Amino acid sequence: MKGRFIVLEGIDGCGKTTQLEHLVRWLPSAGLMPDAAELLRTREPGGTSLGLSVRELLLHTAADDAPAPVAELLLYAADRSQHVETLIRPALERGDWVISDRFSGSTQAYQGYGRGLNRSLIEQLEQIATGGLQPDLTLLLELPLEESLRRRRGEAADRIEAEGQAFLGRVGEGFADMAKQRGWFRVDAAGAPEDVSQRLEQVLLEQLGE
Ligand code: T5A
């Protein structure tokens, strides 16, 4: 692949969206990207127009219409397959850079560690949905659960966020395990947004600079 694929992961409310907004402004002038490359910002679920419909089914269905755990897993995989095939892979083949709010690590963390679904089945599905595509760099924003809940106070919880603290605690442990297994970069997401941005910039410069 000619382009680069960067992913931000972490529990709900850890600050991914805030930092993505910063990185989308900073990256094009950071001296890392070739002049001709564009930067695409995307997310999962919902990075494509089909994915937006899947996102609604996943996060905003009424309780009695909510997908069962395996149906939920398959919907995340369907969203990812469409995302990789129609947006991410073509962009990387053109030489563009892609930065995504979540990718396949979220499925292992939420559906695997959180819901307790079979993790090797999830890995097989990941392989099918991504066609083997992996990020060049995954940055895990780490924040204690209590602080992430404090940050999200006052915001309406979607169906996954409403699962409660024990569930989100298992998700956080899953992310930490995956960071070790997959060589992700763990970034302290506590403190002021500008401080977190600086930490992220430093990892990007170290890892993607010539
Ligand atoms: N999911 C997703 C799965 O279960 N399986 C999967 O395979 C995938 C891909 C997606 C949901 O789907 C689940 C995970 C999620 O539950 P989403 O709406 O995309 O849902 O939500 P999240 O990714 O969880 O995003 P959030 O918006 O909840 O959190 P962010 O983006 O991490 O955090 P952000 O930047 O919005 O910040 C949250 C609040 O904190 C403030 C912000 O202003 C905001 O109010 N904030 C800070 N406050 C103090 N200090 C800082 N440094 C701050 N940074 C941000």
Side-chain angles (χ1 to χ4, degrees):
M1 290 291 175
K2 290 188 286 175
R4 292 266 192 241
F5 181 27
I6 302 162
V7 171
L8 297 193
E9 292 279 14
I11 56 173
D12 304 83
C14 65
K16 291 177 284 76
T17 310
T18 305
Q19 294 304 325
L20 220 88
E21 275 160 16
H22 168 75
L23 292 176
V24 166
R25 288 192 301 272
W26 174 79
L27 257 174
S29 57
L32 293 171
M33 295 175 56
D35 289 343
E38 293 200 13
L39 179 62
L40 271 79
R41 173 188 173 171
T42 187
R43 67 171 173 176
E44 288 194 358
T48 62
S49 50
L50 179 85
L52 278 176
S53 305
V54 176
R55 182 181 170 93
E56 281 305 300
L57 295 174
L58 278 164
L59 300 181
H60 302 297
T61 36
D64 49 359
D65 257 349
V70 174
E72 177 184 272
L73 171 66
L74 294 172
L75 285 169
Y76 278 113
D79 169 73
R80 180 159 308 122
S81 175
Q82 181 76 3
H83 194 203
V84 169
E85 286 314 310
T86 69
L87 189 142
I88 301 174
R89 197 185 291 281
L92 297 176
E93 282 170 351
R94 286 195 303 273
D96 291 334
W97 286 36
V98 178
I99 186 162
S100 184
D101 191 336
R102 302 193 181 281
F103 192 57
S104 49
S106 281
T107 306
Q108 241 346 322
Y110 285 83
Q111 281 64 51
Y113 287 78
R115 292 242 188 268
L117 296 181
N118 184 295
R119 300 219 282 267
S120 64
L121 169 68
I122 294 176
E123 269 178 33
Q124 287 172 42
L125 262 180
E126 175 177 346
Q127 181 65 27
I128 293 168
T130 63
L133 181 80
Q134 289 177 8
D136 293 287
L137 187 63
T138 300
L139 301 155
L140 175 63
L141 294 188
E142 289 197 304
L143 192 68
L145 181 56
E146 303 69 43
E147 176 59 17
S148 75
L149 293 172
R150 238 191 320 274
R151 285 186 186 177
R152 296 200 66 266
R153 199 164 289 154
E155 293 180 29
D158 64 35
R159 202 178 55 80
I160 302 277
E161 287 157 355
E163 285 293 330
Q165 293 199 26
F167 174 84
L168 289 175
R170 292 195 298 278
V171 170
E173 286 164 19
F175 274 129
D177 276 359
M178 272 188 296
K180 285 186 211 134
Q181 291 159 18
R182 299 190 178 195
W184 293 355
F185 287 83
R186 302 167 75 156
V187 176
D188 180 7
E194 304 74 38
D195 296 337
V196 182
S197 300
Q198 267 194 359
R199 290 174 206 138
L200 289 169
E201 287 173 17
Q202 194 177 344
V203 178
L204 286 163
L205 289 168
E206 284 167 7
Q207 296 306 313
L208 298 178
E210 290 301 318

